[in-house]
């Protein structure tokens, strides 16, 4: 494994507060990413915006504007987490698909690949830059563009279940299943657009709980306890 795209749930980064940031959680992520990068793995990162904004629940805001607020939420998340990474001695770079002044650089594949090859943790903020596309789609798109070996999907839930484990205590957790099954059963691992992109471009993913001890390191090293989604 040479290169991965790590998708972090914004809600998971918020910890028990469920909003904003939990610095202890973010620091643990930084230390784990530093460990796997020191082992020679290149890491791109996408962060969701759910710890700040889920505007689709509001009927009073235009969908395009709501999604733009969500894009900016992901920029805030990437700035914060990038600084946490820097505090533990890592070099980072933030890319966005739209101009953000001196805050971030405009994304190009060549620039991102160059930073990855230099051993930097590369953050892809701002979604795709367009409304109606989620950070799930951003994750899949960037993973394909940077030619990642797989997606590491770190969520608040520790894998893929046949129903919502928060609602159904008897929900069954899958150890492994295909992306086609995810699509057919509408399991909600990623949204449909992202799932189809994974299937068409043969991009596998590992889904696991971010808040489990050393979950990122264990996932990379083979001590995986989540759900493997095959292509």
């Amino acid at each position: 494994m040479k290169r991965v795209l790590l998708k972090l749930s914004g809600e998971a980064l918020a910890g028990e507060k469920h909003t904003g940031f939990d610095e202890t959680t973010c620091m643990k992520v930084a230390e784990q990413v530093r460990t796997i990068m020191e082992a020679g793995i290149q890491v791109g990162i996408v962060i969701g915006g759910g710890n700040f904004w889920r505007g689709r629940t509001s009927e009073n805001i235009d969908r395009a504007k709501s999604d733009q607020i969500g894009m900016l939420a992901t920029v805030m998340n990437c700035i914060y987490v990038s600084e946490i990474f820097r505090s533990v001695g890592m070099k980072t770079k933030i890319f966005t698909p739209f101009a953000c002044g001196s805050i971030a650089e405009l994304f190009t594949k060549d620039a991102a690949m160059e930073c990855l090859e230099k051993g930097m943790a590369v953050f892809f903020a701002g979604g795709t830059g367009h409304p109606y596309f989620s950070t799930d789609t951003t994750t899949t798109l960037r993973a394909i563009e940077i030619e990642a070996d797989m997606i590491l999907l770190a969520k608040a839930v520790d894998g893929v279940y046949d129903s919502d484990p928060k609602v159904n205590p008897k929900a069954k957790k899958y150890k492994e299943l295909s992306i086609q099954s995810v699509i057919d059963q509408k399991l909600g691992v990623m949204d449909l657009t992202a799932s189809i992109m994974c299937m068409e471009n043969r991009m596998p993913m590992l889904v696991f709980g971010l808040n489990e001890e050393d979950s990122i390191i264990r996932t990379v090293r083979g001590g995986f306890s989540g759900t493997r989604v095959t292509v």
Side-chain angles (χ1 to χ4, degrees):
M1 187 185 302
K2 178 185 178 182
R3 184 181 302 129
V4 297
L5 195 295
L6 174 64
K7 165 68 185 299
L8 298 170
S9 159
E11 290 173 298
L13 289 178
E16 295 180 358
K17 297 187 298 182
H18 303 297
T19 187
F21 304 109
D22 179 72
E23 188 158 320
T24 299
T25 299
C26 295
M27 187 65 73
K28 288 180 179 178
V29 170
E31 290 169 347
Q32 290 184 73
V33 173
R34 181 184 63 188
T35 297
I36 66 173
M37 290 183 67
E38 286 173 347
I41 297 175
Q42 299 172 8
V43 182
I45 300 160
V46 172
I47 307 176
N51 53 326
F52 283 115
W53 183 253
R54 287 197 175 278
R56 293 174 197 176
T57 58
S58 172
E59 297 179 358
N60 299 314
I61 301 176
D62 176 77
R63 168 67 186 272
K65 299 300 181 184
S66 176
D67 284 358
Q68 287 169 355
I69 296 171
M71 291 176 210
L72 294 176
T74 71
V75 175
M76 291 192 296
N77 281 348
C78 285
I79 294 170
Y80 179 85
V81 177
S82 171
E83 284 305 300
I84 295 294
F85 277 32
R86 286 174 177 266
S87 76
V88 298
M90 301 167 66
K91 294 182 178 180
T92 65
K93 179 69 73 174
I94 301 173
F95 288 100
T96 52
F98 44 76
C100 282
S102 60
I103 293 174
E105 288 191 19
L106 279 173
F107 169 79
T108 67
K109 174 178 177 175
D110 289 346
M113 295 290 274
E114 183 178 345
C115 290
L116 288 165
E117 294 289 350
K118 288 180 177 178
M120 304 173 78
V122 177
F123 290 82
F124 301 111
T128 66
H130 300 282
Y132 297 94
F133 293 98
S134 70
T135 51
D136 286 346
T137 303
T138 306
T139 298
T140 306
L141 176 62
R142 297 293 184 242
I144 294 165
E145 287 180 304
I146 67 171
E147 302 170 31
D149 295 307
M150 66 176 54
I151 294 169
L152 306 183
L153 197 58
K155 308 186 74 162
V157 182
D158 65 346
V160 182
Y161 288 77
D162 60 357
S163 59
D164 188 347
K166 295 178 182 178
V167 177
N168 178 16
K170 295 184 178 180
K172 174 189 172 184
K173 178 180 173 181
Y174 294 101
K175 184 175 180 180
E176 182 174 309
L177 77 166
S178 69
I179 189 65
Q180 184 66 63
S181 296
V182 170
I183 294 168
D184 291 345
Q185 297 179 49
K186 299 179 181 179
L187 293 175
V189 179
M190 285 183 152
D191 64 38
L192 187 59
T193 301
S195 297
I196 290 173
M197 286 180 67
C198 280
M199 181 179 66
E200 291 179 341
N201 293 277
R202 303 193 63 77
M203 180 60 66
M205 72 180 87
L206 301 176
V207 186
F208 59 97
L210 177 63
N211 294 319
E212 293 185 2
E213 188 69 25
D214 290 334
S215 59
I216 298 172
I217 295 172
R218 288 191 293 105
T219 296
V220 169
R221 290 181 175 174
F224 181 60
S225 60
T227 303
R228 183 181 300 274
V229 181
T230 63
V231 291

